[in-house]
Amino acid sequence: MNSPLETHIQNQVLIRPTKFSDDLKHNNKTFQHRADYYEMIKYINTFLDEDTNNRYFLLPGIRGVGKTTILIQLYEYLTKEKQVSPTDILYITGDNLKRMSNSSIMDGINSYLDIFHNATVESIDKKIFLLIDEAQHDKDWSIVGKILYDTSKNIFMIFSGSSALELEYNADSARRMLKMPVCPLTYSQHLKLKYDYFKNTISKEIIDLIFTGKLPERNLDIEILNIYSSFKNYNPKELECFMQYGGFPSSFNQNTNETIKTVIDMINKVITTDIDNLKGINGQTTYLASQLLYFFALQNPGEISKGSMANHLDSNKMTINKILELLEKTQLIFHIEPFTSSAKRTTKPFKYYFATSSLKHILSTNLGNANLEAKEAYMGKLFENYVASSFFNLKNRSETMYNTYYDANKKNVDFLVQKGLETPVPIEVSWGKKNKSQVKTAMKKYKAPYGVIISNTTRKIVKEDNVIYLPIEIFSFM
């Protein structure tokens, strides 16, 4: 008679995959693939064709960004496109292993190797794939990865799970793995998944415009209108809706109230489960983490000292600093630093933004604050967060090496982006009318040959007096 673990592993290999196709569609419409999927495909193909050191991957991300879907799509690719036998692939989840058989990830892998290959980690002589989802439920997942990596070159493994994976992992393991964070969707990714596939051919031109000042040779506004016209039932206010509720694939099949509930539940799980499980973290710390997120949601964008945060929350700077580090590792928030010398940078406050503007909006809505402000002023705050997160996500997925800073001077612009040691590019964000005085002041101060105003008040890219007016609708395809 099989043990609960053996039964679970057999079901995972022989029965569960037959239901994967149902997990990849909604209302008979198959989910599209996002960029992270295609990135993993490259590594899988290399592993199948040759010996490679790139066979241990970490896919952390906020709950609900689509990590499980990516793993199942990779399973489908292996079995249907590459004709890999289902018995050469193990897909398991850390939570089910514990719930079904009270077993560890290593227990599951050893059982799989024994049942389907009559082998051990040391003796497996063919290439196999381990897709480990919800790995954060096993505290030793990173040690398991290190052992497998060092012991066999025939094992390709992906550990995926909530951003708790980022909070604790073995240092030796970190040197062997390739970390590929799964971020909330960009606007163009959102359109691709929601309205079916389209090829974004204008992203490079927008990036070139920002970092070189070179205007595109074609009318990108016309290109975008052509893209929109190809979508069925396109919502003309899609970008505004995305800034308020987007970033998470689940929102495609939910109304706004359902999306708000889903995201609030996700944030609570990050705080009460992911952070709360760490050593040295107590109930007071997790309470302060929740309060700090709501504090950021209600603030105007701007630098806030840790002393001010501590006073507001009746805490101390050391505790606030610890919580901020944890929240950044969970990928709920990120910071940008002031544009100044490295020595002074550590003494000045940071600006904090949410991973996607929808997090700010949904937290504000949950408190009722979103309805208290004039729409233009409120959307301006969301827009600034959206632009900040767009640059943050671009840096994570792009080969363009640059940093985003905030301008700490009076009459400052919102952002300064700098590639290498080149002159920084002043960028002002505008929801509603905005003159160019701040950009011109920054251009003069930093000796920048041009500046950029990203705005919703123009539909075409215009360059006047070395200031480039970039419509938000075009910027969003970056």
Side-chain angles (χ1 to χ4, degrees):
M1 183 175 179
N2 288 343
S3 69
L5 175 59
E6 290 170 331
T7 300
H8 179 60
I9 294 300
Q10 287 178 332
N11 287 341
Q12 287 299 109
V13 175
L14 300 177
I15 299 175
R16 176 72 176 93
T18 62
K19 304 183 184 300
F20 277 164
S21 294
D22 294 335
D23 296 332
L24 297 178
K25 61 179 65 171
H26 181 78
N27 290 335
N28 293 319
K29 182 178 179 181
T30 301
F31 300 151
Q32 292 292 334
H33 300 105
R34 54 188 292 172
D36 311 84
Y37 164 86
Y38 291 108
E39 189 69 22
M40 286 305 312
I41 289 298
K42 296 176 187 176
Y43 290 109
I44 285 174
N45 290 342
T46 301
F47 174 76
L48 287 170
D49 295 337
E50 61 189 71
D51 288 338
T52 175
N53 290 325
N54 297 324
R55 41 194 166 78
Y56 176 16
F57 295 86
L58 175 63
L59 269 62
I62 303 174
R63 296 167 183 265
V65 292
K67 302 178 298 297
T68 298
T69 297
I70 292 172
L71 286 188
I72 297 175
Q73 288 174 330
L74 291 174
Y75 180 96
E76 295 269 285
Y77 173 79
L78 286 167
T79 55
K80 295 182 179 180
E81 299 293 327
K82 306 304 289 187
Q83 284 74 54
V84 174
S85 169
T87 58
D88 292 340
I89 311 169
L90 173 64
Y91 171 87
I92 53 175
T93 67
D95 55 340
N96 280 344
L97 271 174
K98 280 191 174 295
R99 184 164 50 86
M100 299 287 191
S101 61
N102 195 29
S103 302
S104 68
I105 288 174
M106 196 69 198
D107 292 335
I109 293 169
N110 285 333
S111 180
Y112 159 74
L113 291 172
D114 180 48
I115 294 170
F116 291 97
H117 298 285
N118 191 28
T120 64
V121 174
E122 292 83 2
S123 66
I124 186 73
D125 60 0
K126 64 184 302 186
K127 294 188 174 183
I128 63 169
F129 295 84
L130 305 178
L131 309 178
I132 316 296
D133 202 3
E134 299 294 336
Q136 76 274 2
H137 288 274
D138 186 335
K139 293 291 187 182
D140 294 327
W141 69 266
S142 67
I143 298 173
V144 171
K146 173 188 178 299
I147 292 170
L148 297 177
Y149 181 90
D150 290 343
T151 306
S152 175
K153 292 185 177 181
N154 289 320
I155 300 176
F156 185 100
M157 52 190 160
I158 303 175
F159 289 84
S160 175
S162 78
S163 45
L165 291 172
E166 288 273 51
L167 299 176
E168 275 192 343
Y169 55 78
N170 180 275
D172 289 333
S173 187
R175 289 195 291 271
R176 292 160 174 79
M177 73 171 70
L178 285 177
K179 186 172 67 173
M180 300 174 63
V182 182
C183 300
L185 299 172
T186 66
Y187 182 60
S188 61
Q189 289 170 344
H190 165 90
L191 292 176
K192 177 182 173 182
L193 296 185
K194 183 174 181 179
Y195 290 101
D196 220 339
Y197 180 80
F198 76 96
K199 191 172 183 180
N200 184 353
T201 62
I202 65 178
S203 176
K204 188 177 183 304
E205 291 175 80
I206 301 168
I207 295 170
D208 285 346
L209 178 150
I210 290 172
F211 289 101
T212 69
K214 179 182 177 182
L215 298 186
E217 295 180 358
R218 52 184 176 149
N219 293 328
L220 297 189
D221 57 310
I222 302 298
E223 295 284 338
I224 289 175
L225 285 175
N226 290 336
I227 291 172
Y228 287 159
S229 65
S230 69
F231 295 155
K232 185 178 180 181
N233 299 322
Y234 172 70
N235 178 6
K237 293 190 175 182
E238 190 69 47
L239 179 56
E240 186 174 324
C241 291
F242 173 79
M243 285 195 289
Q244 293 177 320
Y245 302 103
F248 301 93
S250 59
S251 66
F252 301 154
N253 308 311
Q254 297 176 324
N255 59 40
T256 55
N257 289 332
E258 290 169 337
T259 298
I260 291 171
K261 184 180 185 307
T262 297
V263 172
I264 292 295
D265 286 347
M266 176 274 291
I267 293 171
N268 288 337
K269 283 181 180 178
V270 169
I271 294 170
T272 60
T273 301
D274 296 347
I275 293 179
D276 195 44
N277 283 339
L278 293 176
K279 294 177 182 177
I281 301 300
N282 55 41
Q284 178 65 13
T285 307
T286 54
Y287 169 78
L288 287 173
S290 176
Q291 293 303 300
L292 196 54
L293 287 175
Y294 279 107
F295 174 71
F296 285 144
L298 299 178
Q299 291 296 308
N300 291 326
E303 63 268 31
I304 308 171
S305 72
K306 291 172 184 175
S308 298
M309 295 182 219
N311 289 335
H312 180 81
L313 298 175
D314 193 22
S315 183
N316 59 76
K317 287 197 289 185
M318 185 178 296
T319 300
I320 294 298
N321 191 57
K322 181 178 184 179
I323 294 172
L324 289 171
E325 289 179 358
L326 289 174
L327 288 174
E328 288 205 62
K329 285 182 177 178
T330 66
Q331 301 175 37
L332 287 173
I333 64 172
F334 64 93
H335 76 268
I336 63 172
E337 300 178 8
F339 186 79
T340 184
S341 66
S342 299
K344 291 182 179 180
R345 197 170 298 153
T346 57
T347 64
K348 288 184 174 291
F350 296 162
K351 274 190 178 184
Y352 289 90
Y353 294 95
F354 287 93
T356 177
S357 57
S358 62
L359 291 174
K360 182 178 179 70
H361 173 70
I362 288 170
L363 284 168
S364 295
T365 300
N366 199 44
L367 291 175
N369 187 69
N371 299 320
L372 301 178
E373 296 186 72
K375 182 177 180 180
E376 187 169 293
Y378 180 73
M379 288 304 299
K381 296 177 186 179
L382 291 187
F383 184 25
E384 182 175 331
N385 196 121
Y386 171 70
V387 172
S389 61
S390 296
F391 280 119
F392 182 74
N393 288 330
L394 176 65
K395 184 177 179 179
N396 283 334
R397 63 183 169 87
S398 172
E399 295 178 359
T400 303
M401 300 300 294
Y402 72 94
N403 287 304
T404 304
Y405 302 98
Y406 74 84
D407 184 5
N409 295 290
K410 292 182 179 179
K411 296 185 178 180
N412 59 334
V413 289
D414 293 310
F415 304 106
L416 294 161
V417 293
Q418 183 183 37
K419 186 164 65 173
L421 297 176
E422 295 180 6
T423 302
V425 180
I427 295 179
E428 181 69 10
V429 175
S430 166
W431 188 277
K433 270 197 166 185
K434 189 84 170 184
N435 63 44
K436 59 186 177 182
S437 61
Q438 288 167 292
V439 170
K440 294 295 287 185
T441 298
M443 288 168 58
K444 182 177 180 181
K445 176 174 178 57
Y446 299 110
K447 298 181 173 57
Y450 64 94
V452 179
I453 295 178
I454 306 172
S455 171
N456 70 327
T457 58
T458 177
R459 288 192 171 274
K460 293 184 178 182
I461 298 173
V462 178
K463 188 173 185 178
E464 294 178 354
D465 198 18
N466 291 326
V467 175
I468 300 170
Y469 294 84
L470 177 61
I472 182 176
E473 204 79 38
I474 295 177
F475 171 82
S476 65
F477 280 77
M478 183 175 70

